Amino acid sequence: MRIRIQVVIEGENGHEETIAEVGCLERGALRPEELGLTLCEAKQLLHAVQQTVVAEQVEQYLAQCAVCSHCGRLRSRKGTHEIVYRTLFGKLKLVSPRLYDCPCQKSGRHSTSPLTELLAARTAPELSYLETKFASLMSYGLSVELLAELLPIGSGITRTTMRRELHRTAERIESELGEEQFQFIEGCQRDWERLPPPAPPLTVGLDGGYVHAKDQKSRTEGWFEVIAGKSVDADGGAKCFAFVNKYDKKPKRRLFEVLKSQGLQMNQQVMFLSDGGDTVRDLQMYLSPESEHWLDWFHITMRLTVMGQMIKGLAAELEPDSAGTTSVVVSLAEHLKSLKWNLWHGNVYRAFQRVEDLEDDLEAIDDNPPNKRKLLKAVQEFGSYIDANQDFIPNYGDRYRHDETISTAFVESTVNYVVSKRFVKKQQMRWTQRGAHLLLQTRTQVLNDDLRKTFCRWYPGMKSDSGSATFQDAA
């Protein structure tokens, strides 16, 4: 059995049809591996169809450009050159003529290349979208192998070209970000009262992670910080964002745009939860007049748990037969338990007293084992931590009983799948701050399901859903 595959191009305004044969298949006795198209055959057919369609499109476009749009006179040609255009179904070499402007324009002997100007990016939007999407989700090498395996791209795609395409996309996204501001609160109370009733509160969690640095001058400079966060609405819809702390110049604008994309109004409540670090604490300020800022309970109890383990280690180092040793260890454990209880109920004043009691108990120990010094340092650092964040410590118990969020556990998972899975876990790459920041912007767009929408906004001819393309039925 022979199957001939043709492309029929119907002309407009009474022009004749053009028929081009793009492939021929031969089949014998039916076997499972020859049922339908093989991957190799499909790639060859797609490439042949692409060449046929593109040739006709380019021919028609250049025919239109060859005629002056004002007077209808034929424009003279200066010369031709070849351009390379990368598509989903192969690399194409297109002849691009250079045409003189019509004398009616009175522009002298000026010439232009219409096709070169139209295809300035040299990469088809659909290919750019797929390269950006897959490179955002997995390593550049795996992305190259995947696309080359499924599409008739051949050797037209490399790690370098994929990285450059991702950076180009990310830089365009960055260029659309508005200017940074100290505050984003707009209007006054009278204006806010006139707004429609707000949606339920938004919950925003912020946390940090670390990425291997490429240009490290010492072992202590082998990492740089990445801030990641997630904004969750009452219906469970969420959007994540991330940026390199010391590289990004517009962190507050970035967070504000995420909240704005979720329909933030100036009369809507926003609850921010963070670990209390200076970076994230400053980031969340002055974004909404109805915002609340709380210290994450998870980071408090994590520090308390470490101190509890240190007390157990200290008890093992001290003389077990001494009655004073037993009483001191019991006192330390009781004061730590009381410290946690007071913080849980938002009693910061009593918590400071318990910190002082812990310091007094440690100073009363005559011996000087290593765990004593470590525990004393941890207690003092915890006291400074609570002092710096005392205005952000609520009554966690009351909030918990009313089913209000008290922990950034949902952000811990965000840091894992936004940062760790692509940059750290099983990834041996080292990153520049610029490279990591740009990749984070495209990765969050992919995870938020916004990348396709962004490309459709840039290129209105693209379908909003890559799987929803429709074809007219043949007559």
Side-chain angles (χ1 to χ4, degrees):
M1 178 175 59
R2 169 176 280 191
I3 304 170
R4 296 171 60 195
I5 302 173
Q6 298 176 333
V7 173
V8 180
I9 301 174
E10 297 180 356
E12 296 181 356
N13 302 323
H15 291 172
E16 296 182 358
E17 292 183 349
T18 302
I19 300 177
E21 186 167 321
V22 295
C24 181
L25 305 178
E26 296 208 5
R27 291 289 188 269
L30 181 61
R31 293 185 295 181
E33 63 271 21
E34 291 185 345
L35 181 63
L37 294 174
T38 65
L39 179 59
C40 181
E41 291 170 343
K43 291 164 71 171
Q44 290 175 353
L45 286 173
L46 285 172
H47 182 65
V49 171
Q50 179 83 322
Q51 287 184 315
T52 304
V53 173
V54 169
E56 185 67 24
Q57 288 179 301
V58 169
E59 183 180 347
Q60 290 189 12
Y61 176 74
L62 292 178
Q64 295 173 357
C65 295
V67 178
C68 177
S69 59
H70 295 85
C71 66
R73 188 185 308 178
L74 192 66
R75 297 167 62 184
S76 58
R77 180 178 295 192
K78 181 179 180 180
T80 60
H81 63 280
E82 191 176 73
I83 64 173
V84 176
Y85 192 66
R86 298 168 59 241
T87 72
L88 277 173
F89 309 114
K91 186 185 292 184
L92 303 175
K93 294 183 179 180
L94 309 176
V95 176
S96 175
R98 191 167 190 86
L99 305 174
Y100 283 111
D101 291 346
C102 184
C104 72
Q105 300 302 306
K106 298 180 181 180
S107 58
R109 296 290 287 174
H110 182 260
S111 62
T112 57
S113 297
L115 189 62
T116 301
E117 293 177 357
L118 178 68
L119 306 179
R122 299 294 193 274
T123 302
E126 288 282 1
L127 178 58
S128 177
Y129 164 73
L130 282 184
E131 287 180 341
T132 303
K133 178 176 180 178
F134 284 108
S136 300
L137 295 175
M138 63 184 76
S139 69
Y140 295 120
L142 287 176
S143 301
V144 168
E145 292 177 8
L146 176 63
L147 292 179
E149 181 72 19
L150 298 178
L151 298 173
I153 295 176
S155 60
I157 182 172
T158 65
R159 295 186 178 114
T160 302
T161 57
M162 182 165 285
R163 183 177 67 249
R164 288 175 179 171
E165 195 61 41
L166 182 142
H167 286 181
R168 190 180 297 114
T169 301
E171 286 170 349
R172 185 170 181 180
I173 294 173
E174 288 286 274
S175 67
E176 296 179 341
L177 199 62
E179 294 298 322
E180 180 74 326
Q181 298 174 200
F182 175 72
Q183 69 170 12
F184 290 87
I185 298 176
E186 302 172 348
C188 61
Q189 185 65 40
R190 182 178 59 185
D191 298 329
W192 304 332
E193 291 174 352
R194 295 174 180 173
L195 292 172
L202 295 171
T203 302
V204 182
L206 301 165
D207 205 352
Y210 289 89
V211 172
H212 284 286
K214 178 182 178 182
D215 302 323
Q216 60 192 60
K217 298 179 182 178
S218 66
R219 294 186 64 181
T220 58
E221 298 176 1
W223 303 78
F224 57 83
E225 186 181 22
V226 170
I227 303 298
K230 178 187 281 188
S231 176
V232 183
D233 59 30
D235 297 329
K239 286 200 171 185
C240 60
F241 60 93
F243 58 89
V244 175
N245 180 29
K246 293 184 178 180
Y247 179 84
D248 191 15
K249 304 300 181 184
K250 302 177 181 180
K252 296 188 77 168
R253 166 65 71 176
R254 194 176 309 282
L255 174 54
F256 178 73
E257 291 298 331
V258 171
L259 299 177
K260 191 176 177 181
S261 69
Q262 292 181 298
L264 175 68
Q265 295 182 176
M266 287 295 105
N267 61 346
Q268 184 177 0
Q269 291 185 342
V270 184
M271 182 178 66
F272 292 95
L273 287 164
S274 68
D275 61 1
D278 294 337
T279 303
V280 293
R281 188 168 57 234
D282 296 340
L283 172 64
Q284 60 194 349
M285 293 298 182
Y286 309 111
L287 291 174
S288 171
E290 298 295 330
S291 61
E292 297 179 348
H293 307 271
W294 304 127
L295 182 62
D296 165 41
W297 173 251
F298 170 77
H299 284 84
I300 292 178
T301 190
M302 182 174 61
R303 292 169 180 253
L304 293 172
T305 301
V306 171
M307 287 191 285
Q309 296 299 322
M310 288 183 178
I311 291 176
K312 294 179 180 179
L314 179 63
E317 290 179 341
L318 295 174
E319 290 293 335
D321 299 333
S322 173
T325 297
T326 304
S327 63
V328 168
V329 171
V330 171
S331 179
L332 285 170
E334 290 178 350
H335 287 149
L336 185 66
K337 183 178 179 181
S338 177
L339 172 60
K340 184 175 182 178
W341 189 92
N342 282 289
L343 288 174
W344 175 254
H345 291 89
N347 194 336
V348 181
Y349 176 75
R350 290 289 186 185
F352 280 130
Q353 291 182 332
R354 297 291 83 81
V355 170
E356 293 177 357
D357 292 338
L358 285 169
E359 293 178 355
D360 293 340
D361 288 345
L362 289 170
E363 291 175 356
I365 299 176
D366 295 331
D367 298 335
N368 193 29
N371 268 310
K372 174 188 172 181
R373 297 191 297 271
K374 292 179 182 179
L375 180 56
L376 181 59
K377 181 181 179 181
V379 170
Q380 292 172 344
E381 289 178 349
F382 185 76
S384 301
Y385 178 70
I386 296 301
D387 183 46
N389 294 282
Q390 57 182 309
D391 295 332
F392 310 109
I393 298 178
N395 187 328
Y396 295 103
D398 182 68
R399 293 181 63 84
Y400 179 77
R401 288 188 292 273
H402 288 86
D403 294 327
E404 297 181 16
T405 307
I406 62 172
S407 170
T408 59
F410 66 98
V411 186
E412 295 294 326
S413 63
T414 303
V415 173
N416 183 43
Y417 72 75
V418 172
V419 181
S420 300
K421 285 189 176 181
R422 180 62 178 88
F423 292 86
V424 182
K425 291 184 177 180
K426 297 183 180 179
Q427 306 293 329
Q428 301 303 316
M429 290 184 65
R430 295 184 179 273
W431 302 83
T432 62
Q433 292 188 11
R434 174 180 175 272
H437 179 77
L438 293 178
L439 179 52
L440 283 169
Q441 305 321 307
T442 59
R443 182 169 174 81
T444 51
Q445 285 242 336
V446 172
L447 296 174
N448 292 336
D449 200 22
D450 287 336
L451 185 64
R452 185 79 188 182
K453 299 174 186 176
T454 300
F455 269 84
C456 291
R457 178 165 50 81
W458 292 344
Y459 306 99
M462 286 183 66
K463 302 292 183 181
S464 59
D465 182 0
S466 58
S468 64
T470 58
F471 299 90
Q472 294 181 352
D473 293 335

